[in-house]
Amino acid sequence: MSYANYSIGELWSSFMPRRKEITNYLTDDLFSLVVYKPNHFADYNPNNEFERWAAVEVADFVNVPDEMETYVLSGGLYAVFHFRGASTNIANFYQNIFNDWLPKSDYVLDYRPHFEILGEKYKNNDPLSEEDIWIPIKLK
């Protein structure tokens, strides 16, 4: 998908009804994972495509439901930001991270997946919703 053709609602609508088919999940947390191309932010354009995953953390890959895929998230350093509010306000939050916090920090963006953890306090598009945003970073 791309930000110009943002179909995250369709992704989650197809994942959530089948979520309980995953029998070896470790927590009830949901992961919204994004894999960007290496030049995504350097040559930013809303039409740049990226890969988005709706996921849960599992103990192993023994019983993967049909038409679902596995993904191994590699380790590394992440900046973690706690967001509280409706999802309609999250774009401004991300702009602050990338345009204010990151340039002023001792870090640069690393080419690894970005993700949000949607835990028990996550309520889609509710002003009291909470989630953690993980941005991959490395020292300048």
Side-chain angles (χ1 to χ4, degrees), residues 72-91:
V72 176
L73 183 61
S74 60
L77 186 61
Y78 280 85
V80 182
F81 301 89
H82 187 75
F83 175 75
R84 182 176 182 178
S87 56
T88 53
N89 299 326
I90 204 163

Side-chain angles (χ1 to χ4, degrees), residues 4-139:
N5 184 23
Y6 200 59
S7 53
I8 194 166
E10 293 173 27
L11 173 65
W12 284 102
S13 293
S14 66
F15 178 77
M16 290 305 289
R18 299 196 55 212
R19 175 181 173 206
K20 294 301 181 188
E21 293 177 37
I22 304 168
T23 58
N24 56 344
Y25 57 91
L26 295 175
T27 70
D28 288 330
D29 293 346
L30 300 171
F31 287 70
S32 183
L33 186 131
V34 186
V35 181
Y36 295 106
K37 294 178 182 171
N39 64 343
H40 181 88
F41 292 100
D43 301 323
Y44 182 76
N45 180 313
N47 293 307
N48 289 349
E49 292 187 349
F50 52 85
E51 191 176 321
R52 170 77 71 172
W53 292 68
V56 295
E57 186 177 14
V58 296
D60 54 51
F61 297 142
V62 173
N63 296 312
V64 179
D66 290 340
E67 299 177 11
M68 289 194 186
E69 298 178 35
T70 62
Y71 190 93
V72 176
L73 183 61
S74 60
L77 186 61
Y78 280 85
V80 182
F81 301 89
H82 187 75
F83 175 75
R84 182 176 182 178
S87 56
T88 53
N89 299 326
I90 204 163
N92 291 335
F93 191 78
Y94 273 101
Q95 286 178 350
N96 288 333
I97 293 170
F98 290 109
N99 296 333
D100 188 36
W101 181 85
L102 191 60
K104 292 177 182 175
S105 76
D106 294 330
Y107 303 96
V108 293
L109 201 57
D110 197 4
Y111 174 62
R112 288 181 288 117
H114 300 223
F115 61 95
E116 296 90 37
I117 297 179
L118 314 175
E120 65 181 30
K121 293 184 178 181
Y122 178 77
K123 299 170 187 68
N124 188 31
N125 214 18
D126 184 303
L128 300 178
S129 183
E130 298 183 36
E131 64 186 84
D132 290 326
I133 298 168
W134 293 61
I135 307 293
I137 56 173
K138 62 183 177 183
L139 283 170

